[in-house]
Amino acid sequence: MSYENKILQMKKMLKKAPKTEQDEKKMFKKPAVPIYAKQWEEAGLKRIDNDYGTVFLIEKHYSVDYQHGDFRLGELYDAFQLWKSCNDQHPIALTNATNLVFYDTETTGLKGVGTQIFLNGILEAGQSGFVLKQYVLADPSHEVAFLWESKLWQENKTIVTYNGKSFDWPQLQTRWTLHKKDLPKLPEQKQIDLLHGSKRIWKNDLSRMKLSQVEEEKLGFHRVGDVPGYLAPIIYLDAVKSGEPSALLKVLEHNEYDLLSLITLYIQATKLLCEGIQEESATTYTNIGKWYGDLSNTVKSGELLEQITRQYNNNETGYAYYHLAFHQKKQQNFEKAYYSFNHAIPYIEERQQIIAYIELAKIDEHRNQNYEQAIYYTNQAYLLVQKSFLWKAEQKHKKLIELEKRRVRNEKKQILHGK
């Protein structure tokens, strides 16, 4: 082919208009309505047809007086007022229901590109009540329609979940990415994961952090006849294969419980974080005090930890004294820190005991110039490390050398100063 002909061919190619977004959408082949659609509609699932296919929906409304376990759903608005009145900066703090979404999914598996979300559960709060919308995937070929209908691509939402940061939202992002040419961009949304909050509040108080256990022990809700979550994928796939949705409705009920419990868990967490000591254990309030300390709210942390040491028995206050001691040390109140470390030691675990003994030795060496007492506390720490199974051999040896150096240094100071 001559050079001139090549130029002409290139010009023809350039004249071809680039594909527009509308053209791309025209290329999308809308899947057929499932043959069992009428059967699912008769069971109470509303059929929605959009540009991408078919979605099924169950919608429910709850009044503010609806009772779920120990709480009315309307107490959520009281929680907003609590955050306003306590005026604390906190990761779970909310002051209104604007664009607030309680979100939970059910999926066909736990991980991997082959795992699909088949149920998007969305519970939103309005001024007159609450609206639950459960979108059900008609079948895997209707996934674009299912994802689009959720409206989660709309911006400025606050998503409240239970393990959503690690599972639900990343799974949604994966599915969205696979269909990005057909869907609006999924924005990053503000996330409040109440699993992380529950761990911070009830660490060493609850043996497990499964939502159903939190419901029973902390929210006053007991599930009756609930479908275990691990059966949900099997039930969904069977419903698609057979067209029979009765068992699938039980999965939707399981998802409904999860979402209602997200509201009551948020209410309870807010009360514990804002109202001060009420009826929970010293462990719970110690965890909360430590959480505020980790958030650099030293005033709130110190006040709460001190309150625990006054209101609970000695055997319950070990960790409150332990964390309070670090707070007091940071405030340069070494006398109180010394007192708190001493009170903590009989009631805390081995690792923390070792740390407390070392902290006492530091105060005696550097503040009190009481080298004899510093040697005593160093020896106590040394003995605990020597007997301990907490460290590997190399780490243990290194720790013992460090404590030996501290002891020798204090012995030299004792001789030098005659103390």
Short mmCIF file of all heavy atoms in Angstrom, two decimals, residues 308-366:
data_model
loop_
_atom_site.label_atom_id
_atom_site.label_comp_id
_atom_site.label_asym_id
_atom_site.label_seq_id
_atom_site.Cartn_x
_atom_site.Cartn_y
_atom_site.Cartn_z
N ILE A 308 -14.76 5.42 87.78
CA ILE A 308 -14.78 3.96 87.92
C ILE A 308 -14.09 3.54 89.22
O ILE A 308 -14.59 2.68 89.95
CB ILE A 308 -14.10 3.29 86.70
CG1 ILE A 308 -14.90 3.56 85.42
CG2 ILE A 308 -13.96 1.78 86.92
CD1 ILE A 308 -14.13 3.31 84.15
N THR A 309 -12.94 4.14 89.49
CA THR A 309 -12.18 3.76 90.71
C THR A 309 -12.95 4.09 91.98
O THR A 309 -12.73 3.47 93.02
CB THR A 309 -10.80 4.45 90.75
OG1 THR A 309 -10.97 5.88 90.81
CG2 THR A 309 -9.97 4.10 89.53
N ARG A 310 -13.87 5.04 91.90
CA ARG A 310 -14.67 5.41 93.07
C ARG A 310 -15.93 4.55 93.22
O ARG A 310 -16.38 4.31 94.33
CB ARG A 310 -15.09 6.89 93.00
CG ARG A 310 -13.94 7.88 93.16
CD ARG A 310 -14.46 9.29 93.42
NE ARG A 310 -15.29 9.77 92.32
CZ ARG A 310 -14.82 10.47 91.28
NH1 ARG A 310 -13.53 10.76 91.20
NH2 ARG A 310 -15.62 10.87 90.31
N GLN A 311 -16.49 4.08 92.11
CA GLN A 311 -17.81 3.45 92.14
C GLN A 311 -17.79 1.93 92.14
O GLN A 311 -18.81 1.31 92.42
CB GLN A 311 -18.65 3.95 90.96
CG GLN A 311 -19.08 5.39 91.12
CD GLN A 311 -20.10 5.82 90.07
OE1 GLN A 311 -20.07 6.94 89.60
NE2 GLN A 311 -21.00 4.94 89.70
N TYR A 312 -16.65 1.32 91.81
CA TYR A 312 -16.61 -0.14 91.72
C TYR A 312 -15.65 -0.72 92.75
O TYR A 312 -14.79 -0.02 93.29
CB TYR A 312 -16.20 -0.58 90.31
CG TYR A 312 -17.25 -0.32 89.26
CD1 TYR A 312 -17.32 0.92 88.61
CD2 TYR A 312 -18.19 -1.28 88.92
CE1 TYR A 312 -18.28 1.17 87.64
CE2 TYR A 312 -19.16 -1.04 87.95
CZ TYR A 312 -19.20 0.19 87.32
OH TYR A 312 -20.16 0.43 86.37
N ASN A 313 -15.79 -2.02 93.02
CA ASN A 313 -14.93 -2.71 93.97
C ASN A 313 -13.49 -2.81 93.44
O ASN A 313 -13.26 -2.77 92.22
CB ASN A 313 -15.45 -4.13 94.25
CG ASN A 313 -16.82 -4.11 94.89
OD1 ASN A 313 -17.13 -3.19 95.67
ND2 ASN A 313 -17.65 -5.10 94.58
N ASN A 314 -12.55 -3.01 94.36
CA ASN A 314 -11.14 -3.06 93.97
C ASN A 314 -10.84 -4.10 92.89
O ASN A 314 -10.06 -3.86 91.97
CB ASN A 314 -10.27 -3.37 95.21
CG ASN A 314 -10.10 -2.15 96.08
OD1 ASN A 314 -10.31 -1.02 95.63
ND2 ASN A 314 -9.73 -2.36 97.34
N ASN A 315 -11.45 -5.28 93.01
CA ASN A 315 -11.15 -6.34 92.03
C ASN A 315 -11.72 -6.04 90.65
O ASN A 315 -11.41 -6.74 89.69
CB ASN A 315 -11.68 -7.69 92.53
CG ASN A 315 -13.19 -7.69 92.72
OD1 ASN A 315 -13.80 -6.63 92.85
ND2 ASN A 315 -13.80 -8.86 92.74
N GLU A 316 -12.56 -4.99 90.53
CA GLU A 316 -13.10 -4.60 89.23
C GLU A 316 -12.39 -3.40 88.63
O GLU A 316 -12.62 -3.05 87.48
CB GLU A 316 -14.59 -4.26 89.38
CG GLU A 316 -15.47 -5.40 89.86
CD GLU A 316 -16.90 -4.95 90.08
OE1 GLU A 316 -17.17 -4.29 91.10
OE2 GLU A 316 -17.74 -5.24 89.22
N THR A 317 -11.55 -2.74 89.42
CA THR A 317 -11.00 -1.46 88.99
C THR A 317 -9.54 -1.51 88.55
O THR A 317 -8.94 -0.47 88.28
CB THR A 317 -11.13 -0.42 90.12
OG1 THR A 317 -10.41 -0.90 91.27
CG2 THR A 317 -12.58 -0.17 90.47
N GLY A 318 -8.97 -2.72 88.47
CA GLY A 318 -7.55 -2.83 88.14
C GLY A 318 -7.16 -2.11 86.86
O GLY A 318 -6.21 -1.31 86.84
N TYR A 319 -7.90 -2.36 85.80
CA TYR A 319 -7.54 -1.75 84.52
C TYR A 319 -7.89 -0.27 84.46
O TYR A 319 -7.24 0.49 83.75
CB TYR A 319 -8.18 -2.51 83.35
CG TYR A 319 -7.42 -3.79 83.07
CD1 TYR A 319 -7.86 -5.00 83.58
CD2 TYR A 319 -6.23 -3.76 82.33
CE1 TYR A 319 -7.14 -6.17 83.35
CE2 TYR A 319 -5.51 -4.91 82.09
CZ TYR A 319 -5.97 -6.12 82.61
OH TYR A 319 -5.24 -7.26 82.39
N ALA A 320 -8.89 0.13 85.22
CA ALA A 320 -9.19 1.57 85.30
C ALA A 320 -8.02 2.30 85.93
O ALA A 320 -7.56 3.34 85.44
CB ALA A 320 -10.46 1.79 86.10
N TYR A 321 -7.50 1.75 87.05
CA TYR A 321 -6.31 2.34 87.69
C TYR A 321 -5.11 2.31 86.74
O TYR A 321 -4.33 3.29 86.69
CB TYR A 321 -5.97 1.59 88.98
CG TYR A 321 -6.68 2.12 90.21
CD1 TYR A 321 -7.59 1.33 90.91
CD2 TYR A 321 -6.41 3.40 90.69
CE1 TYR A 321 -8.23 1.81 92.05
CE2 TYR A 321 -7.05 3.88 91.83
CZ TYR A 321 -7.95 3.09 92.49
OH TYR A 321 -8.58 3.59 93.62
N TYR A 322 -4.96 1.22 86.02
CA TYR A 322 -3.81 1.06 85.12
C TYR A 322 -3.81 2.14 84.03
O TYR A 322 -2.80 2.83 83.82
CB TYR A 322 -3.87 -0.34 84.49
CG TYR A 322 -2.77 -0.64 83.50
CD1 TYR A 322 -1.48 -0.93 83.92
CD2 TYR A 322 -3.04 -0.67 82.13
CE1 TYR A 322 -0.48 -1.24 83.01
CE2 TYR A 322 -2.05 -0.97 81.21
CZ TYR A 322 -0.77 -1.26 81.66
OH TYR A 322 0.22 -1.54 80.75
N HIS A 323 -4.94 2.31 83.34
CA HIS A 323 -5.01 3.33 82.28
C HIS A 323 -5.02 4.74 82.86
O HIS A 323 -4.46 5.66 82.26
CB HIS A 323 -6.25 3.09 81.42
CG HIS A 323 -6.21 1.80 80.66
ND1 HIS A 323 -5.22 1.52 79.73
CD2 HIS A 323 -7.02 0.71 80.70
CE1 HIS A 323 -5.42 0.31 79.23
NE2 HIS A 323 -6.51 -0.20 79.80
N LEU A 324 -5.63 4.89 84.04
CA LEU A 324 -5.63 6.19 84.70
C LEU A 324 -4.20 6.61 85.06
O LEU A 324 -3.85 7.80 84.95
CB LEU A 324 -6.49 6.13 85.96
CG LEU A 324 -6.59 7.41 86.80
CD1 LEU A 324 -7.19 8.56 85.99
CD2 LEU A 324 -7.43 7.15 88.05
N ALA A 325 -3.39 5.66 85.45
CA ALA A 325 -2.01 5.96 85.82
C ALA A 325 -1.24 6.58 84.65
O ALA A 325 -0.49 7.55 84.82
CB ALA A 325 -1.30 4.70 86.29
N PHE A 326 -1.44 6.04 83.46
CA PHE A 326 -0.77 6.61 82.28
C PHE A 326 -1.29 8.01 81.99
O PHE A 326 -0.53 8.91 81.59
CB PHE A 326 -0.95 5.70 81.06
CG PHE A 326 -0.07 4.50 81.08
CD1 PHE A 326 -0.57 3.25 81.41
CD2 PHE A 326 1.29 4.61 80.79
CE1 PHE A 326 0.24 2.13 81.43
CE2 PHE A 326 2.12 3.50 80.81
CZ PHE A 326 1.60 2.26 81.15
N HIS A 327 -2.60 8.20 82.18
CA HIS A 327 -3.19 9.52 82.00
C HIS A 327 -2.57 10.51 82.99
O HIS A 327 -2.19 11.63 82.62
CB HIS A 327 -4.71 9.44 82.20
CG HIS A 327 -5.38 10.77 82.33
ND1 HIS A 327 -5.61 11.61 81.26
CD2 HIS A 327 -5.87 11.42 83.42
CE1 HIS A 327 -6.21 12.71 81.67
NE2 HIS A 327 -6.38 12.61 82.99
N GLN A 328 -2.45 10.10 84.25
CA GLN A 328 -1.89 10.98 85.28
C GLN A 328 -0.41 11.27 85.03
O GLN A 328 0.06 12.39 85.25
CB GLN A 328 -2.09 10.33 86.65
CG GLN A 328 -3.55 10.30 87.08
CD GLN A 328 -3.83 9.33 88.21
OE1 GLN A 328 -3.11 8.34 88.40
NE2 GLN A 328 -4.89 9.58 88.96
N LYS A 329 0.30 10.26 84.56
CA LYS A 329 1.72 10.47 84.24
C LYS A 329 1.87 11.49 83.11
O LYS A 329 2.75 12.37 83.16
CB LYS A 329 2.35 9.13 83.84
CG LYS A 329 3.84 9.23 83.56
CD LYS A 329 4.39 7.90 83.07
CE LYS A 329 5.85 8.06 82.66
NZ LYS A 329 6.41 6.83 82.07
N LYS A 330 0.99 11.39 82.12
CA LYS A 330 1.02 12.33 81.00
C LYS A 330 0.74 13.75 81.48
O LYS A 330 1.26 14.73 80.92
CB LYS A 330 0.00 11.91 79.95
CG LYS A 330 0.17 12.59 78.61
CD LYS A 330 -0.77 11.98 77.57
CE LYS A 330 -0.57 12.62 76.22
NZ LYS A 330 -1.47 12.04 75.19
N GLN A 331 -0.08 13.87 82.51
CA GLN A 331 -0.41 15.17 83.08
C GLN A 331 0.65 15.65 84.08
O GLN A 331 0.46 16.65 84.76
CB GLN A 331 -1.77 15.10 83.78
CG GLN A 331 -2.93 14.70 82.90
CD GLN A 331 -3.18 15.65 81.75
OE1 GLN A 331 -3.22 16.86 81.97
NE2 GLN A 331 -3.32 15.13 80.55
N GLN A 332 1.76 14.91 84.18
CA GLN A 332 2.86 15.23 85.10
C GLN A 332 2.48 15.09 86.57
O GLN A 332 3.14 15.63 87.45
CB GLN A 332 3.39 16.67 84.85
CG GLN A 332 3.82 16.94 83.43
CD GLN A 332 5.13 16.25 83.08
OE1 GLN A 332 6.13 16.45 83.74
NE2 GLN A 332 5.12 15.42 82.06
N ASN A 333 1.39 14.33 86.82
CA ASN A 333 0.97 14.11 88.21
C ASN A 333 1.53 12.75 88.65
O ASN A 333 0.83 11.73 88.72
CB ASN A 333 -0.56 14.13 88.32
CG ASN A 333 -1.02 14.30 89.76
OD1 ASN A 333 -0.33 13.92 90.69
ND2 ASN A 333 -2.20 14.88 89.92
N PHE A 334 2.82 12.73 88.96
CA PHE A 334 3.54 11.48 89.19
C PHE A 334 3.14 10.82 90.51
O PHE A 334 3.15 9.59 90.61
CB PHE A 334 5.05 11.73 89.15
CG PHE A 334 5.52 12.18 87.80
CD1 PHE A 334 5.80 13.52 87.55
CD2 PHE A 334 5.65 11.27 86.75
CE1 PHE A 334 6.22 13.93 86.29
CE2 PHE A 334 6.08 11.68 85.51
CZ PHE A 334 6.36 13.01 85.27
N GLU A 335 2.78 11.61 91.50
CA GLU A 335 2.36 11.04 92.78
C GLU A 335 1.10 10.20 92.62
O GLU A 335 1.00 9.08 93.13
CB GLU A 335 2.14 12.16 93.80
CG GLU A 335 1.89 11.65 95.21
CD GLU A 335 1.74 12.77 96.22
OE1 GLU A 335 2.12 13.92 95.90
OE2 GLU A 335 1.23 12.49 97.32
N LYS A 336 0.11 10.76 91.89
CA LYS A 336 -1.13 10.02 91.66
C LYS A 336 -0.90 8.82 90.74
O LYS A 336 -1.50 7.75 90.93
CB LYS A 336 -2.19 10.95 91.06
CG LYS A 336 -2.80 11.90 92.08
CD LYS A 336 -3.99 12.65 91.49
CE LYS A 336 -4.67 13.51 92.56
NZ LYS A 336 -5.83 14.25 92.00
N ALA A 337 -0.06 8.99 89.75
CA ALA A 337 0.25 7.88 88.84
C ALA A 337 0.88 6.72 89.62
O ALA A 337 0.56 5.55 89.39
CB ALA A 337 1.18 8.35 87.73
N TYR A 338 1.78 7.06 90.55
CA TYR A 338 2.46 6.06 91.38
C TYR A 338 1.42 5.28 92.20
O TYR A 338 1.47 4.04 92.28
CB TYR A 338 3.44 6.79 92.31
CG TYR A 338 4.43 5.92 93.02
CD1 TYR A 338 5.64 5.57 92.42
CD2 TYR A 338 4.19 5.47 94.32
CE1 TYR A 338 6.57 4.78 93.09
CE2 TYR A 338 5.11 4.69 95.00
CZ TYR A 338 6.31 4.36 94.38
OH TYR A 338 7.23 3.59 95.04
N TYR A 339 0.50 6.01 92.76
CA TYR A 339 -0.58 5.39 93.55
C TYR A 339 -1.43 4.46 92.67
O TYR A 339 -1.76 3.34 93.07
CB TYR A 339 -1.44 6.51 94.16
CG TYR A 339 -2.66 6.04 94.92
CD1 TYR A 339 -2.59 5.74 96.28
CD2 TYR A 339 -3.89 5.90 94.28
CE1 TYR A 339 -3.72 5.31 96.98
CE2 TYR A 339 -5.02 5.47 94.95
CZ TYR A 339 -4.92 5.18 96.31
OH TYR A 339 -6.04 4.74 96.99
N SER A 340 -1.77 4.94 91.48
CA SER A 340 -2.66 4.17 90.59
C SER A 340 -2.00 2.90 90.09
O SER A 340 -2.63 1.84 90.03
CB SER A 340 -3.10 5.04 89.42
OG SER A 340 -3.88 6.13 89.86
N PHE A 341 -0.72 2.98 89.72
CA PHE A 341 0.00 1.77 89.27
C PHE A 341 0.02 0.73 90.39
O PHE A 341 -0.20 -0.47 90.15
CB PHE A 341 1.43 2.11 88.85
CG PHE A 341 1.55 2.65 87.44
CD1 PHE A 341 2.19 3.86 87.21
CD2 PHE A 341 1.04 1.94 86.37
CE1 PHE A 341 2.32 4.36 85.92
CE2 PHE A 341 1.16 2.43 85.07
CZ PHE A 341 1.80 3.64 84.85
N ASN A 342 0.29 1.16 91.61
CA ASN A 342 0.32 0.23 92.74
C ASN A 342 -1.04 -0.43 92.98
O ASN A 342 -1.12 -1.62 93.28
CB ASN A 342 0.78 0.97 94.01
CG ASN A 342 2.26 0.82 94.24
OD1 ASN A 342 2.77 -0.30 94.28
ND2 ASN A 342 2.97 1.93 94.37
N HIS A 343 -2.11 0.34 92.85
CA HIS A 343 -3.45 -0.21 93.05
C HIS A 343 -3.87 -1.15 91.92
O HIS A 343 -4.67 -2.06 92.14
CB HIS A 343 -4.48 0.93 93.18
CG HIS A 343 -4.66 1.38 94.60
ND1 HIS A 343 -3.67 2.02 95.31
CD2 HIS A 343 -5.72 1.25 95.45
CE1 HIS A 343 -4.11 2.28 96.53
NE2 HIS A 343 -5.34 1.83 96.65
N ALA A 344 -3.32 -0.95 90.75
CA ALA A 344 -3.69 -1.77 89.59
C ALA A 344 -3.06 -3.16 89.63
O ALA A 344 -3.70 -4.15 89.26
CB ALA A 344 -3.26 -1.06 88.31
N ILE A 345 -1.82 -3.26 90.10
CA ILE A 345 -1.01 -4.49 89.95
C ILE A 345 -1.69 -5.78 90.42
O ILE A 345 -1.66 -6.78 89.71
CB ILE A 345 0.37 -4.30 90.62
CG1 ILE A 345 1.23 -3.39 89.73
CG2 ILE A 345 1.08 -5.63 90.83
CD1 ILE A 345 2.53 -2.93 90.35
N PRO A 346 -2.36 -5.81 91.57
CA PRO A 346 -2.95 -7.09 92.00
C PRO A 346 -4.09 -7.60 91.11
O PRO A 346 -4.45 -8.77 91.18
CB PRO A 346 -3.48 -6.78 93.41
CG PRO A 346 -2.77 -5.56 93.84
CD PRO A 346 -2.53 -4.77 92.59
N TYR A 347 -4.64 -6.73 90.26
CA TYR A 347 -5.87 -7.09 89.53
C TYR A 347 -5.72 -7.08 88.01
O TYR A 347 -6.71 -7.16 87.29
CB TYR A 347 -6.99 -6.11 89.93
CG TYR A 347 -7.15 -5.99 91.42
CD1 TYR A 347 -6.74 -4.82 92.09
CD2 TYR A 347 -7.67 -7.03 92.18
CE1 TYR A 347 -6.87 -4.70 93.46
CE2 TYR A 347 -7.80 -6.92 93.56
CZ TYR A 347 -7.40 -5.76 94.20
OH TYR A 347 -7.53 -5.65 95.56
N ILE A 348 -4.49 -6.99 87.54
CA ILE A 348 -4.28 -6.96 86.09
C ILE A 348 -3.43 -8.15 85.66
O ILE A 348 -2.83 -8.84 86.49
CB ILE A 348 -3.61 -5.63 85.64
CG1 ILE A 348 -2.31 -5.38 86.39
CG2 ILE A 348 -4.58 -4.46 85.84
CD1 ILE A 348 -1.59 -4.10 85.99
N GLU A 349 -3.39 -8.39 84.36
CA GLU A 349 -2.69 -9.56 83.84
C GLU A 349 -1.18 -9.34 83.82
O GLU A 349 -0.69 -8.22 83.96
CB GLU A 349 -3.20 -9.90 82.44
CG GLU A 349 -4.64 -10.39 82.46
CD GLU A 349 -5.17 -10.74 81.08
OE1 GLU A 349 -4.41 -10.58 80.09
OE2 GLU A 349 -6.33 -11.18 80.98
N GLU A 350 -0.48 -10.43 83.60
CA GLU A 350 0.98 -10.45 83.72
C GLU A 350 1.69 -9.40 82.87
O GLU A 350 2.57 -8.68 83.38
CB GLU A 350 1.47 -11.84 83.32
CG GLU A 350 2.96 -12.07 83.45
CD GLU A 350 3.36 -13.45 82.96
OE1 GLU A 350 3.28 -14.40 83.77
OE2 GLU A 350 3.73 -13.56 81.78
N ARG A 351 1.31 -9.28 81.62
CA ARG A 351 2.00 -8.32 80.74
C ARG A 351 1.86 -6.89 81.29
O ARG A 351 2.83 -6.12 81.32
CB ARG A 351 1.42 -8.38 79.32
CG ARG A 351 2.18 -7.50 78.32
CD ARG A 351 1.50 -7.54 76.96
NE ARG A 351 1.52 -8.86 76.36
CZ ARG A 351 2.54 -9.35 75.64
NH1 ARG A 351 3.63 -8.62 75.48
NH2 ARG A 351 2.47 -10.55 75.12
N GLN A 352 0.66 -6.54 81.72
CA GLN A 352 0.43 -5.20 82.26
C GLN A 352 1.12 -5.03 83.63
O GLN A 352 1.58 -3.94 83.97
CB GLN A 352 -1.07 -4.92 82.38
CG GLN A 352 -1.77 -4.64 81.07
CD GLN A 352 -1.97 -5.89 80.22
OE1 GLN A 352 -2.15 -6.98 80.75
NE2 GLN A 352 -1.92 -5.72 78.90
N GLN A 353 1.20 -6.12 84.40
CA GLN A 353 1.91 -6.06 85.68
C GLN A 353 3.39 -5.69 85.46
O GLN A 353 3.95 -4.85 86.17
CB GLN A 353 1.82 -7.40 86.41
CG GLN A 353 0.48 -7.65 87.08
CD GLN A 353 0.47 -8.99 87.81
OE1 GLN A 353 1.21 -9.91 87.46
NE2 GLN A 353 -0.36 -9.10 88.83
N ILE A 354 4.00 -6.33 84.47
CA ILE A 354 5.41 -6.05 84.16
C ILE A 354 5.58 -4.58 83.78
O ILE A 354 6.49 -3.90 84.28
CB ILE A 354 5.90 -6.98 83.02
CG1 ILE A 354 5.94 -8.43 83.50
CG2 ILE A 354 7.27 -6.54 82.51
CD1 ILE A 354 6.08 -9.46 82.40
N ILE A 355 4.69 -4.09 82.93
CA ILE A 355 4.77 -2.69 82.51
C ILE A 355 4.59 -1.77 83.71
O ILE A 355 5.32 -0.78 83.87
CB ILE A 355 3.70 -2.40 81.43
CG1 ILE A 355 4.02 -3.17 80.15
CG2 ILE A 355 3.62 -0.89 81.14
CD1 ILE A 355 2.91 -3.16 79.12
N ALA A 356 3.63 -2.11 84.60
CA ALA A 356 3.36 -1.26 85.77
C ALA A 356 4.58 -1.23 86.70
O ALA A 356 4.94 -0.16 87.22
CB ALA A 356 2.13 -1.78 86.51
N TYR A 357 5.21 -2.37 86.92
CA TYR A 357 6.41 -2.40 87.77
C TYR A 357 7.52 -1.53 87.17
O TYR A 357 8.21 -0.81 87.90
CB TYR A 357 6.90 -3.83 87.94
CG TYR A 357 6.19 -4.62 89.01
CD1 TYR A 357 5.65 -5.87 88.74
CD2 TYR A 357 6.08 -4.12 90.31
CE1 TYR A 357 4.99 -6.61 89.72
CE2 TYR A 357 5.42 -4.85 91.30
CZ TYR A 357 4.89 -6.09 91.00
OH TYR A 357 4.24 -6.81 92.00
N ILE A 358 7.69 -1.60 85.86
CA ILE A 358 8.73 -0.79 85.21
C ILE A 358 8.40 0.70 85.35
O ILE A 358 9.29 1.53 85.60
CB ILE A 358 8.89 -1.19 83.74
CG1 ILE A 358 9.46 -2.61 83.65
CG2 ILE A 358 9.80 -0.21 82.99
CD1 ILE A 358 9.45 -3.20 82.24
N GLU A 359 7.13 1.06 85.20
CA GLU A 359 6.73 2.46 85.35
C GLU A 359 6.97 2.96 86.77
O GLU A 359 7.42 4.09 86.98
CB GLU A 359 5.25 2.63 84.96
CG GLU A 359 4.96 2.45 83.48
CD GLU A 359 5.63 3.49 82.61
OE1 GLU A 359 5.81 4.64 83.08
OE2 GLU A 359 5.99 3.17 81.47
N LEU A 360 6.70 2.11 87.76
CA LEU A 360 6.96 2.48 89.15
C LEU A 360 8.46 2.67 89.38
O LEU A 360 8.88 3.61 90.08
CB LEU A 360 6.41 1.40 90.08
CG LEU A 360 4.88 1.36 90.23
CD1 LEU A 360 4.43 0.07 90.89
CD2 LEU A 360 4.38 2.57 91.03
N ALA A 361 9.26 1.78 88.79
CA ALA A 361 10.71 1.90 88.92
C ALA A 361 11.21 3.20 88.30
O ALA A 361 12.09 3.87 88.85
CB ALA A 361 11.39 0.70 88.24
N LYS A 362 10.63 3.59 87.18
CA LYS A 362 11.01 4.86 86.52
C LYS A 362 10.71 6.06 87.42
O LYS A 362 11.52 6.98 87.54
CB LYS A 362 10.24 5.01 85.19
CG LYS A 362 10.71 4.11 84.07
CD LYS A 362 9.83 4.35 82.85
CE LYS A 362 10.18 3.42 81.70
NZ LYS A 362 9.28 3.64 80.55
N ILE A 363 9.50 6.05 88.01
CA ILE A 363 9.12 7.18 88.87
C ILE A 363 10.04 7.27 90.08
O ILE A 363 10.49 8.35 90.47
CB ILE A 363 7.63 7.06 89.30
CG1 ILE A 363 6.72 7.20 88.07
CG2 ILE A 363 7.28 8.15 90.33
CD1 ILE A 363 5.25 6.90 88.34
N ASP A 364 10.33 6.10 90.69
CA ASP A 364 11.21 6.11 91.86
C ASP A 364 12.62 6.55 91.49
O ASP A 364 13.27 7.27 92.27
CB ASP A 364 11.24 4.72 92.51
CG ASP A 364 10.15 4.56 93.56
OD1 ASP A 364 9.91 5.54 94.30
OD2 ASP A 364 9.54 3.49 93.65
N GLU A 365 13.10 6.13 90.33
CA GLU A 365 14.46 6.51 89.94
C GLU A 365 14.56 7.99 89.56
O GLU A 365 15.45 8.70 90.05
CB GLU A 365 14.91 5.65 88.77
CG GLU A 365 16.31 6.02 88.27
CD GLU A 365 16.75 5.22 87.05
OE1 GLU A 365 15.98 4.35 86.58
OE2 GLU A 365 17.87 5.49 86.55
N HIS A 366 13.67 8.44 88.69
CA HIS A 366 13.83 9.76 88.09
C HIS A 366 13.12 10.88 88.85
O HIS A 366 13.51 12.05 88.73
CB HIS A 366 13.34 9.74 86.64
CG HIS A 366 14.07 8.73 85.80
ND1 HIS A 366 15.41 8.82 85.54
CD2 HIS A 366 13.61 7.61 85.16
CE1 HIS A 366 15.77 7.80 84.76
NE2 HIS A 366 14.70 7.05 84.52
#
